[in-house]
């Protein structure tokens, strides 16, 4: 009746695990990301993303993320419930894999629809839209972005300044989507000067 916790591997190359998720269509498939992207005083750089296909009993490092500087700091991983696509919010952009982590494509970042590379959070809404929150401490943030299909070039900035959410005056943005309403999203910002009037 009591949970029984056991180490999967005491000798992992990097134990700064920052996000863990399972595939809702196959709970035997799990992913975890490494690297403390919010830059605390003793932040540990990560070594990419690991994947399990046996319910977490064993994990294998995804080769495409192992020596890739864009995957040194993983802030959040989600698996899309409808498509199975894997999204990784990193300090190098928002990346998507459509083949279980074998290859990755940047779908949002500096020069790709956003003014910053730092993606702090990614969430899937009740209507399967993809939302991303940007920024980190002392780097500023661009805001919150939404895409109906998660493809590069389809993300639209949600904080326009005219809808109550300003375009400046804050840094890191964490988000949450209401499971009961695709029209409701919550944003928590690290504000330096933030006023809703």
């Amino acid at each position: 009746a009591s949970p029984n916790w056991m180490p999967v591997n005491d000798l992992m190359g990097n134990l700064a695990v920052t996000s863990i998720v399972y595939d809702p269509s196959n709970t035997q498939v799990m992913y975890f990301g490494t690297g403390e992207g919010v830059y605390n005083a003793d932040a540990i750089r990560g070594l990419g993303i690991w994947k399990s296909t046996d319910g977490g009993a064993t994990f294998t490092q995804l080769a495409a993320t192992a020596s890739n500087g864009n995957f040194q700091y993983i802030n959040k991983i989600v698996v899309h419930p409808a498509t199975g696509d894997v999204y990784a919010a990193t300090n190098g952009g928002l990346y998507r894999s459509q083949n279980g982590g074998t290859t990755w494509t940047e779908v949002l970042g500096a020069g790709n629809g956003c003014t910053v590379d730092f993606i702090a959070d990614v969430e899937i809404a009740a209507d399967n839209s993809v939302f991303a929150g940007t920024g980190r401490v002392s780097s500023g943030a661009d805001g919150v972005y939404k895409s109906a299909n998660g493809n590069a070039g389809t993300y639209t900035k949600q904080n326009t300044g005219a809808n109550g959410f300003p375009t400046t005056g804050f840094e890191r943005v964490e988000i949450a989507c209401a499971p009961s309403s695709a029209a409701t999203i919550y944003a928590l910002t690290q504000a330096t000067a933030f006023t809703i009037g």
Side-chain angles (χ1 to χ4, degrees):
S2 298
N4 183 19
W5 293 92
M6 299 181 306
V8 173
N9 184 336
D10 283 335
L11 302 175
M12 285 287 188
N14 186 298
L15 294 178
V17 175
T18 53
S19 182
I20 187 166
V21 66
Y22 67 88
D23 184 339
S25 66
N26 180 358
T27 57
Q28 291 298 299
V29 176
M30 304 174 72
Y31 300 87
F32 74 76
T34 61
E36 298 174 290
V38 295
Y39 292 133
N40 53 37
D42 59 351
I44 302 295
R45 182 172 61 206
L47 292 173
I49 298 173
W50 272 258
K51 179 180 181 179
S52 173
T53 57
D54 56 14
T58 62
F59 283 86
T60 303
Q61 188 179 31
L62 295 176
T65 68
S67 298
N68 187 330
N70 292 317
F71 291 88
Q72 291 179 340
Y73 300 99
I74 309 294
N75 299 312
K76 181 73 174 281
I77 302 173
V78 296
V79 179
H80 199 289
T83 65
D85 293 351
V86 184
Y87 291 85
T90 81
N91 282 8
L94 178 62
Y95 287 83
R96 178 179 68 176
S97 176
Q98 296 183 284
N99 53 17
T102 302
T103 60
W104 297 82
T105 302
E106 184 184 33
V107 293
L108 182 66
N112 189 9
C114 187
T115 62
V116 298
D117 274 330
F118 308 108
I119 310 298
D121 200 0
V122 58
E123 299 289 345
I124 309 296
D127 65 355
N128 291 325
S129 296
V130 179
F131 281 87
T134 67
R136 70 175 181 188
V137 179
S138 302
S139 73
D142 196 1
V144 176
Y145 283 81
K146 176 185 178 183
S147 172
N149 57 23
N151 294 334
T154 65
Y155 287 81
T156 304
K157 190 173 183 178
Q158 300 298 292
N159 53 308
T160 64
N163 61 3
F165 194 158
T167 58
T168 61
F170 54 92
E171 295 176 346
R172 177 174 151 206
V173 182
E174 296 280 343
I175 54 178
C177 298
S180 59
S181 170
T184 304
I185 183 170
Y186 301 90
L188 175 66
T189 68
Q190 180 184 8
T192 53
F194 189 86
T195 303
I196 296 178

